[in-house]
Amino acid sequence: MNELKQFISYEKMSKYVADIIEDIFKKSFRMTFPKLVLPTGSTPLGLYDELVKRELDWSNITTFNLDEYVINPNHLQSYHNFMRMNLFDKTNIYPKNYNFPNRNTQAYEDKIKEKGGIDLCILGIGTNGHIAFNEPQTPRNSKTHVVDLTKNTIKDNSRFFDSVDEVPTQAITMGIDTIMKAKRIYLVAQGSHKKEILERAVHGEITPEVPASFLQEHPNCEVFYSD
Ligand code: GLP
């Protein structure tokens, strides 16, 4: 079941999630190297800044990103580049330990399994209720897959590109089932424009129309919000 926790500021929310991650890093031992799932978008930027400031030891950490556009990974707006610029290149994580989905979707699922599954998954939410790029109507049992982005998502994400025509129309995303298998999930959302969809996700009907509503079925998921 989800809990919705409201923070008085974005800064406080970012620090709170950074504390959780720091705690996981500190409690990790040789045989239990943490496996994290990480998001992109503007919401996690405060969290990533905070993690960088804390100069944590990332040498034993493996990460899987939630999604990636069908785009050249060297493109400025690829999620690969976003993660390198905002987090990875500012830490001591080994490049061999960060992973992004590509068209070989089964290989991504296999790698997650091979690593022993996900300990912690950090998520954002789209204004249409998507998690990662699982757009409305994505089935609950979906695995990593290629997706055609909706007009709504292309419009929302066009703020990062010079024009809406430059936004990729396809992406590769972890499926809802892939996300639901994580041991712990935290969804972070910022801004009043996310309030209505969050309310539906946390307290509304569990339906593929609002992919984030499936998180209500997760035994260890919390939802964090700040204005
Ligand atoms: C993109 C990502 C999602 C993210 C969403 C929200 O669509 N694929 O994983 O949750 O953006 O982004 P923002 O935090 O910028 O609102």
Side-chain angles (χ1 to χ4, degrees):
M1 189 55 204
N2 300 181
E3 280 190 37
L4 180 56
K5 186 173 165 68
Q6 176 144 2
F7 287 82
I8 54 167
S9 73
Y10 173 65
E11 202 196 352
K12 285 235 155 46
M13 179 170 78
S14 302
K15 284 190 171 158
Y16 187 88
V17 184
D19 285 347
I20 294 171
I21 294 180
E22 183 169 357
D23 197 47
I24 289 181
F25 279 30
K26 292 204 166 136
K27 282 190 184 136
S28 70
F29 301 106
R30 260 188 150 269
M31 297 308 289
T32 55
F33 299 146
K35 272 79 63 183
L36 308 182
V37 168
L38 297 175
T40 53
S42 37
T43 312
L45 285 173
L47 165 67
Y48 294 161
D49 280 351
E50 188 59 36
L51 289 174
V52 168
K53 260 194 243 156
R54 296 182 186 200
E55 297 183 350
L56 305 176
D57 179 9
W58 287 73
S59 60
N60 292 327
I61 308 296
T62 297
T63 67
F64 291 89
N65 261 78
L66 282 168
D67 45 13
E68 175 59 291
Y69 291 120
V70 173
I71 198 173
N72 181 331
N74 297 320
H75 190 287
L76 190 63
Q77 294 305 337
S78 75
Y79 286 169
H80 195 111
N81 195 51
F82 173 97
M83 292 304 296
R84 287 192 57 181
M85 282 188 5
N86 294 300
L87 184 67
F88 295 152
D89 286 358
K90 299 176 175 176
T91 71
N92 66 337
I93 192 169
Y94 291 112
K96 68 173 173 56
N97 288 345
Y98 53 74
N99 300 278
F100 290 83
N102 60 38
R103 283 189 180 277
N104 192 348
T105 54
Q106 187 56 47
Y108 207 55
E109 292 284 331
D110 293 345
K111 183 127 194 218
I112 293 170
K113 243 188 234 153
E114 180 194 304
K115 290 278 172 190
I118 301 302
D119 299 297
L120 173 65
C121 172
I122 309 289
L123 287 176
I125 186 169
T127 56
N128 62 0
H130 74 214
I131 45 175
F133 272 132
N134 291 288
E135 298 282 37
Q137 309 308 342
T138 307
R140 162 71 181 78
N141 63 359
S142 51
K143 307 276 188 202
T144 302
H145 62 286
V146 179
V147 58
D148 292 326
L149 300 176
T150 60
K151 273 196 182 146
N152 179 87
T153 296
I154 292 173
K155 192 171 141 277
D156 278 358
N157 289 4
S158 65
R159 68 189 192 281
F160 298 111
F161 292 82
D162 288 338
S163 81
V164 75
D165 301 328
E166 284 187 26
V167 184
T169 54
Q170 282 194 313
I172 301 135
T173 181
M174 277 187 184
I176 292 173
D177 193 60
T178 324
I179 292 169
M180 292 290 283
K181 285 207 162 71
K183 294 188 187 94
R184 252 206 278 183
I185 302 178
Y186 295 106
L187 187 151
V188 280
Q190 185 207 9
S192 50
H193 63 299
K194 295 273 175 82
K195 238 183 166 167
E196 194 191 321
I197 195 68
L198 265 190
E199 202 50 49
R200 284 182 71 192
V202 177
H203 300 298
E205 184 196 348
I206 299 175
T207 163
E209 261 175 59
V210 181
S213 67
F214 286 119
L215 298 171
Q216 290 180 39
E217 293 174 347
H218 195 282
N220 205 353
C221 172
E222 284 182 67
V223 179
F224 300 147
Y225 172 80
S226 80
D227 285 325

